[in-house]
């Protein structure tokens, strides 16, 4: 089962955490590095990347799964 990957603030740096996990998958100095790593993982798992800003609010979501096109509705 694929897990969505969260990019989260971690002290002075940034981290990638699989959804539902308490521990970080990886730690990075910049948000950009964390986003790139999360995208790699999400592509491999056909999941989604959820990027949080420094304030903890969701800033962006990117899906790397099996999205229907065109979307229903």
């Amino acid at each position: 089962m694929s897990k969505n990957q969260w990019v989260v603030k971690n002290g002075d740096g940034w981290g990638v955490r699989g959804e539902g996990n308490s521990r970080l998958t990886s730690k990075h100095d910049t948000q950009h590095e964390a986003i790139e790593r999360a995208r790699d993982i999400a592509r491999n798992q056909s999941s989604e990347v959820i990027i949080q800003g420094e304030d903890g609010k969701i800033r962006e979501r990117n899906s790397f799964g099996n999205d229907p096109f065109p979307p229903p509705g």
Side-chain angles (χ1 to χ4, degrees), residues 31 34 48 53 62 72:
Q31 187 182 41
E48 191 168 356
N62 294 305

Side-chain angles (χ1 to χ4, degrees), residues 5-71:
Q5 301 300 310
W6 287 74
V7 175
V8 297
K9 185 74 173 151
N10 180 44
D12 290 336
W14 292 86
V16 177
R17 177 180 290 135
E19 190 164 313
N21 293 351
S22 59
R23 297 173 68 190
L24 294 176
T25 303
S26 61
K27 297 178 184 179
H28 305 275
D29 293 330
T30 67
Q31 187 182 41
H32 178 75
E33 292 171 349
I35 290 169
E36 290 302 311
R37 179 65 183 130
R39 284 182 179 155
D40 289 342
I41 295 169
R43 279 188 196 104
N44 289 335
Q45 295 184 356
S46 297
S47 61
E48 191 168 356
V49 174
I50 298 115
I51 303 168
Q52 290 183 329
E54 289 195 35
D55 59 1
K57 293 181 182 177
I58 294 175
R59 193 183 89 174
E60 186 178 338
R61 297 175 81 111
N62 294 305
S63 180
F64 296 94
N66 189 14
D67 290 337
F69 186 81

